Amino acid sequence: MTDEILEVQDLQLAFGALKATDGVSLTLRRGEIHALIGPNGAGKSTLIGLIAGTLRPDAGCIRLNGRDVTGCDAAARARAGLARTFQITTLAPELTVLQNVMLAVAGASGAPYRFLRPALSDPALVERAGGFIARVGLAGRRAVRAGDLAHGERRRLDLAMALALAPRAFVLDEPMAGMGPDGAREMTALLDLLRREAPILLVEHDMDAVFRLADRISVLVSGRIIASGPVEAVRADREVQRAYLGEERLA
Amino acid sequence: MRREPVLNTLILLALLAVPLAAQALDEPFLVTLATKAAILALAGVGLNLALGLGGMVSFGHAAFFGIGGYAMAVLAAPVQAYEPLMTWPMDLPGTKSMPAIWLAAMAAGALAALVIGALSLRTGGVYFIMITLAFAQMLYYFAVSWPAYGGEDGISIYVRNGFPGLDTLNPLQFFGLCLGVLLLALGAMHLIARSRFGLALDGARQNPDRVAALGLRPARLKLIAFVISGAVTALAGALFADLNRFVSPSMLHWQTSGEIMVFVILGGAGRLFGPVAGAAIFVLLEHLLGGVSEYWKLFLGLALLGIVLFARGGLIGALAGRAVAHD
Ligand SMILES: Nc1ncnc2c1ncn2[C@@H]1O[C@H](COP(=O)(O)OP(=O)(O)O)[C@@H](O)[C@H]1O
Ligand SMILES: [Mg+2]
């Protein structure tokens, strides 16, 4: 068993002339939260897409639990233990909270090709899904359609679905985006619980949350990682302050 | 709240009442009309799985409907000509047995749907509509130029095929048989919609990226749904050919594709009984208005436009409200 759950090596992806990912290498270790920060357009979401398998790199390699998954599609990577959420929350809006999570449980079980046996009234499936829903604090909202949820609740549902995969690594793209201070605080607490399940690669703009949660930080600017290391070291890095943390923090 | 099951039961009772009333009033033509509605509803039930649950707007389901019809002709024509179906690579007689014909029709429809689906599902949106349309038209022109089965004129099968224990030439019995098949298909669709597969397919329609991130393959789920859909519509085609005792390329024509789509959208895409309501109303309007005005389809088209724009759940949606997801 390796300590490096997720390993990204020299990843490259260009959109035409734009090098959105320009030789990125990083690792995610057992038990940690590794935050990925950087200005808008730095290529964070692109990197998440490459890791999750929705984008294919021009060069480089991605290993999950020591296994090369660069050639695998998104579904295969999910089954190999990668739970990914999107920057813009994406759920099945017409399905209820419960059904969305059941979909995740069914996906994780790798047995979607059952055509006649009822799934929606299967007590074992309902109970499993219900457990994940309760853990993100949506127990009272099981029967609500995902499309009718408030923004913060959708983010929680997104996490419940990620949890339901029983993953080896979480890859979360700005889970606090668009949340008020209260929501962000609750989400921070939730992520702190999530890390007990599996390590988290966390893209996040909320610096308070990042400093509170992260064990390590990598800073991405223009598709390259300009700094990476323990929180304090990165916080003190002059180049990072200039490129990203901005004058307001220096002032 | 739960108006839909009540509504479905009423639709079913109405369909059942028509032929019984017809018998009592001595209007046998109405039985044929109800049989036609049941068979077209079945074709729509097939499309509804692809279009309603899977979100695949196929404008080529006439391909499967026609393949079912021609499967019937290919198997039954040799029998009335006192010829074998084939002598090479093995001796095989034709058949007048409906169960055998249905199996062959469904297998042929499934195979065609596998090929057409695998090629069309690489695209989406308008391209998917156009490509499915193009495949169906290709089959149409093939049938037109296929002299062995009458080419443009089609081919008559003079005696309706048989079903064990039934007199299929008795209109009421044939209606009962078609209604039974329709009910079986509806039951299967009800189960599929509530199964893991149905849930996954529903998710894949609403949000393919999220579903892929859960370890499921949207493209494969859709292809499987398309294959089942093609098989069911082909079964309807075989029954339709038996109803008319006649098969012609018009079963493969794009207008047929359009009509099957109308059943689904008029009745309510994704609603279990949508195609039943849609087909019943279509057959009724065709009967009532077809004699009055040649342009009745124009009005139907306008009504459809209204439904697409203002009442997305079709008739079922208008009467029973928003779909309760799966319940
Ligand atoms: N599919 C795409 N095609 C072309 N350019 C893209 C595409 N996706 C992202 N980009 C560009 O790549 C850069 C990185 O985008 P993104 O990864 O979304 O940044 P971030 O998530 O860090 O804000 C941006 O300049 C963006 O415009
Ligand atoms: Mg982003």
Side-chain angles (χ1 to χ4, degrees), chain A residues 73-76 78-79 84 86 90-95 99 102-104 106-109 111-120 125 145 148 158 161 165, chain B residues 188 191-207 209-218 220-221 224 228 322-327:
Chain A
D73 66 4
R79 279 197 214 154
R84 176 261 176 110
F86 295 76
T90 54
L91 309 154
E94 294 169 28
L95 297 183
Q99 288 165 347
M102 285 168 86
L103 185 60
S109 72
Y113 302 113
R114 293 192 191 156
F115 295 88
L116 300 178
R117 200 175 334 148
L120 297 163
L125 202 55
R145 282 180 183 230
D148 296 338
D158 219 358
M161 290 164 79
L165 298 180
Chain B
L191 291 179
I192 287 178
R194 303 172 58 82
S195 72
R196 285 183 182 223
F197 175 78
L199 185 63
L201 180 65
D202 204 353
R205 168 177 58 82
Q206 296 177 40
N207 201 329
D209 289 339
R210 190 67 177 108
V211 164
L214 298 176
L216 298 162
R217 295 204 163 80
R220 189 176 302 174
L221 293 164
I224 292 172
I228 299 173
R322 197 159 86 153
V324 185
H326 296 288
D327 265 316

Side-chain angles (χ1 to χ4, degrees), chain A residues 52-251:
Chain A
T54 40
L55 294 170
R56 292 305 168 97
D58 298 332
C61 132
I62 298 149
R63 268 192 289 271
L64 189 61
N65 259 319
R67 186 183 139 215
D68 187 341
V69 295
T70 319
C72 299
D73 66 4
R77 290 185 205 190
R79 279 197 214 154
L82 197 77
R84 176 261 176 110
T85 65
F86 295 76
Q87 181 172 354
I88 297 167
T89 309
T90 54
L91 309 154
E94 294 169 28
L95 297 183
T96 63
V97 168
L98 181 63
Q99 288 165 347
N100 266 285
V101 179
M102 285 168 86
L103 185 60
V105 173
S109 72
Y113 302 113
R114 293 192 191 156
F115 295 88
L116 300 178
R117 200 175 334 148
L120 297 163
S121 52
D122 175 349
L125 202 55
V126 170
E127 197 189 311
R128 263 185 75 75
F132 296 118
I133 293 168
R135 283 180 57 187
V136 301
L138 286 177
R141 306 284 280 161
R142 274 166 54 148
V144 179
R145 282 180 183 230
D148 296 338
L149 290 177
H151 177 78
E153 293 175 321
R154 265 184 235 179
R155 294 262 147 184
R156 289 162 174 277
L157 173 54
D158 219 358
L159 280 187
M161 290 164 79
L163 257 175
L165 298 180
R168 295 174 190 262
F170 291 103
V171 180
L172 310 179
D173 198 350
E174 300 200 26
M176 290 166 211
M179 284 192 162
D182 288 345
R185 218 170 300 123
E186 284 171 22
M187 186 57 84
T188 305
L190 194 54
L191 292 182
D192 221 9
L193 288 176
L194 222 61
R195 83 202 299 172
R196 295 189 200 156
E197 302 292 325
I200 304 174
L201 180 65
L202 177 70
V203 171
E204 192 43 72
H205 265 306
D206 184 328
M207 296 313 294
D208 288 338
V210 166
F211 289 136
R212 194 161 312 144
L213 286 169
D215 302 294
R216 286 195 294 154
I217 299 182
S218 292
V219 184
L220 193 71
V221 176
S222 304
R224 315 181 74 110
I225 291 191
I226 60 162
S228 181
V231 175
E232 285 315 314
V234 171
R235 217 209 280 238
D237 190 298
R238 298 213 125 239
E239 198 184 348
V240 173
Q241 292 182 348
R242 207 164 355 99
Y244 182 58
L245 295 179
E247 285 86 43
E248 55 170 321
R249 278 187 187 275
L250 290 179

Side-chain angles (χ1 to χ4, degrees), chain A residues 15 18 20 38-47 55 87 173-174 220:
Chain A
F15 295 119
L18 176 76
N40 267 328
K44 304 181 297 294
S45 293
T46 303
L47 183 59
L55 294 170
Q87 181 172 354
D173 198 350
E174 300 200 26
L220 193 71

Side-chain angles (χ1 to χ4, degrees), chain B residues 236-258:
Chain B
L239 284 171
F240 191 72
D242 241 325
L243 171 68
N244 302 322
R245 284 171 272 170
F246 172 69
V247 181
S248 80
S250 73
M251 279 182 79
L252 291 158
H253 197 263
W254 66 264
Q255 279 195 13
T256 305
S257 291

